[in-house]
Amino acid sequence: MPDDLLRHVIGPTPYSSVWLWAAIGLILLVCAWYIGVFVLTAPRRAIRELPVLGAARAELLRRRSARAVRTIGNRYRSGDLSAAPAGAAVSRELRAFLQSVTGVQAQYMQVEAIAASDAAAAAPILVELTDIQFNHHSALDAGTVSDATEELIRGWT
């Protein structure tokens, strides 16, 4: 074989680094998938007990609920809502927040039962919201009660 043909003979080509990064990306994607399935299917109590994830979830719930209550209060102040519907909306949002944070079925409980549960700190505000919602001659202001509700939600621990 002449020496001039040896320049056309080469060794095996190396693997491309794209395959390495594709494999790493797929492994990370599968790990994220399993974590997502765990978080979405775990009981809420189990998520609350996880240190970082439970705290992040609680903070997210506080912010979302406080923003919703503030929006309802602003709609009442602007005249879009009257006192009774504003009180009902704030009560509904507060009860949903209490159920998400404490696990107490606050959406379906009487105020007296809530006062005897883990959500007892919210009972005075729920009494005021009930008065606004069902007493058309109430002296309470729905805007003031919505501010107090927002403050309670933001300070909930």
Side-chain angles (χ1 to χ4, degrees), residues 54-129:
R57 179 183 174 276
E59 181 63 29
L60 182 66
L61 283 170
R62 274 194 295 274
R63 287 183 184 181
R64 187 198 62 80
S65 296
R67 188 178 335 115
V69 168
R70 185 180 330 113
T71 301
I72 294 166
N74 289 341
R75 287 183 60 199
Y76 169 74
R77 289 181 196 93
S78 70
D80 289 343
L81 288 174
S82 62
V90 170
S91 176
R92 188 172 41 251
E93 189 61 42
L94 178 60
R95 287 173 180 263
F97 171 76
L98 292 173
Q99 183 169 345
S100 296
V101 171
T102 63
V104 173
Q105 296 289 325
Q107 293 176 333
Y108 309 109
M109 296 172 69
Q110 298 290 327
V111 177
E112 294 81 18
I114 292 173
S117 70
D118 291 340
I125 291 179
L126 285 170
V127 168
E128 292 177 354
L129 288 170

Side-chain angles (χ1 to χ4, degrees), residues 37-61:
V37 167
F38 170 73
V39 168
L40 293 175
T41 60
R44 292 179 190 233
R45 182 173 302 268
I47 292 174
R48 279 191 300 242
E49 292 171 0
L50 294 174
V52 175
L53 197 58
R57 179 183 174 276
E59 181 63 29
L60 182 66
L61 283 170

